[in-house]
Amino acid sequence: MRRYRWWISAGVLLFVAVLVGIFVFSGPGNPPAPPRRQGPPGTGPLTIVTLGDSTLSGEGIGNYTPDTNGTNGDWCHRSPEATVFETALPGIEAKVNLACSGAPAAQVALGDARQWTEPSQAGQLAQLVKNHRVAAVVVAMGANDDPHFSQLISQCFQSWLMSGNGPCSGPISATWDDRVNAMVPKVVSALGDVKKVLAQAGYQPEDYQLVLQSYAAPIGPDLPADLQSLNGCPFRTEDLRWVRDDGVLKLSAGLARAAARAGARFLDLSRAGRGHEACSGGADPSTEWFSRLVLRLGDLNYADRASHALQESFHPNANGHAQIGRCLTEFLATELPSAACLPGAGGDLHPAATLAGVP
């Protein structure tokens, strides 16, 4: 009989404890936490989206959608072989590329800035989330702002062409730190607009991943002398070395700061292409991950296309996008706040936990 009384007493104590627990943790001042949502809100396919400039649009691949290859003035050069289409994430049903060649941070952000006739990419994202569940947004931007990286490449080409002018890297390096520093707040602001768009659509920070990636050096000093010409890579050795060993690393370090300030993850590509730069393969360009000097002679016959005949030069090619897509896929599957794409034992790129921009 005492055994049953003990059970009854224990049951009463347990019931009282449950009541106290409910009062303490679910009382007026402590409402129960809502169940955590599984994935992005809304309806539609689970989606990964890329925003930004040429390094994500697919410039350099040579295979572009007709609507972005000059039609009605749209030269965004989006390719079906661009990075986003080289990712392979479980559960992802749709891959969308909104990046546009040459885009500055202002065109990625909300506002009236246009690139090759296209409106704000963040604004396009706002339309996309109406019928897509966005799980990841990957962004590449900043090089077309104060650093003007494509103009830098053109300036170094002119330096090679006009041999009496001296290396381009001297005057560029004198202002490079200031130009990178001026870029950072613009990138932070644009990332803030991307987060604003998703917040207005009902997204919580844990519903999606936001990744800012940096840039790989498309050229380097390790190339045959016969390709250091109009046959492939017409640049001075000093300038090739500066781009690879200084300029791109500092640009990446600035972008790492921007990602940290904006609360985004960061993928460092500054050393991703070493050994695979344009012209590094010599007679075997299949080992290269970046396009060489490209001149589309046929475009010179048309006034509206002539100024774009060199646009594809010195960008990731199909091999490069495949490698970056592989590394990005693996990075998104981790919880690392930042990583660098570096070659593994087999030569393919993989994310490594390392400080961005450190050689």
Side-chain angles (χ1 to χ4, degrees), residues 35 37 49 230-231 263 277 309 327:
R37 186 162 55 213
V49 184
L230 292 174
N231 290 328
E277 298 95 341
C327 185

Side-chain angles (χ1 to χ4, degrees), residues 3-292:
R3 183 182 305 167
Y4 292 112
R5 288 175 182 169
W6 185 87
W7 286 350
I8 293 171
S9 299
V12 170
L13 289 173
L14 179 61
F15 178 71
V16 171
V18 170
L19 287 178
V20 171
I22 292 174
F23 178 77
V24 171
F25 296 106
S26 300
N30 298 278
R36 183 172 178 175
R37 186 162 55 213
Q38 296 297 314
T43 59
L46 199 63
T47 303
I48 178 173
V49 184
T50 47
L51 309 177
D53 57 30
S54 58
T55 55
L56 282 176
S57 74
E59 184 75 82
I61 294 176
N63 174 23
Y64 310 114
T65 59
D67 59 317
T68 64
N69 193 25
T71 301
N72 297 320
D74 191 327
W75 290 94
C76 285
H77 271 179
R78 296 195 187 99
S79 171
E81 299 175 74
T83 296
V84 68
F85 303 110
E86 299 297 331
T87 58
L89 295 166
I92 291 295
E93 303 167 275
K95 303 172 183 180
V96 179
N97 184 8
L98 298 178
C100 181
S101 184
Q107 196 260 337
V108 177
L110 294 170
D112 298 327
R114 288 178 172 266
Q115 178 66 18
W116 303 129
T117 74
E118 292 206 4
S120 159
Q121 293 180 35
Q124 294 179 58
L125 178 64
Q127 296 301 312
L128 184 73
V129 295
K130 292 180 179 180
N131 51 24
H132 287 71
R133 300 171 61 237
V134 174
V137 180
V138 181
V139 189
M141 61 178 163
N144 294 310
D145 289 281
D146 301 82
H148 298 296
F149 194 76
S150 61
Q151 293 181 24
L152 177 157
I153 298 296
S154 297
Q155 189 174 339
C156 290
F157 165 63
Q158 293 172 24
S159 174
W160 172 87
L161 194 63
M162 307 295 290
S163 58
N165 291 347
C168 72
S169 50
I172 291 174
S173 62
T175 61
W176 190 244
D177 288 349
D178 291 339
R179 289 159 66 175
V180 170
N181 290 336
M183 167 203 75
V184 171
K186 298 174 183 178
V187 173
V188 172
S189 179
L191 290 173
D193 281 354
V194 171
K195 296 172 70 174
K196 179 180 178 180
V197 163
L198 293 170
Q200 290 177 339
Y203 284 65
Q204 300 296 324
E206 64 270 18
D207 291 334
Y208 66 97
Q209 297 190 56
L210 176 61
V211 174
L212 176 67
Q213 71 176 42
S214 66
Y215 299 87
I219 51 179
D222 304 321
L223 74 167
D226 64 318
L227 289 179
Q228 206 165 343
S229 65
L230 292 174
N231 290 328
C233 297
F235 303 102
R236 294 171 180 267
T237 300
E238 305 97 308
D239 296 334
L240 291 167
R241 184 172 290 112
W242 181 86
V243 169
R244 188 192 68 180
D245 296 342
D246 193 4
V248 167
L249 293 182
K250 289 181 176 179
L251 177 60
S252 190
L255 290 167
R257 296 197 303 272
R261 293 182 192 177
R265 301 177 72 194
F266 179 66
L267 189 61
D268 173 18
L269 300 182
S270 62
R271 289 160 288 163
R274 291 198 175 187
H276 298 278
E277 298 95 341
C279 300
S280 62
D284 183 13
S286 67
T287 64
E288 298 167 11
W289 296 350
F290 302 87
S291 59
R292 300 180 179 187

Side-chain angles (χ1 to χ4, degrees), residues 294-310:
V294 176
L295 174 59
R296 291 196 171 269
L297 293 173
D299 287 352
L300 298 179
N301 297 320
Y302 303 92
D304 60 337
R305 304 187 70 87
S307 61
H308 301 276
L310 292 166

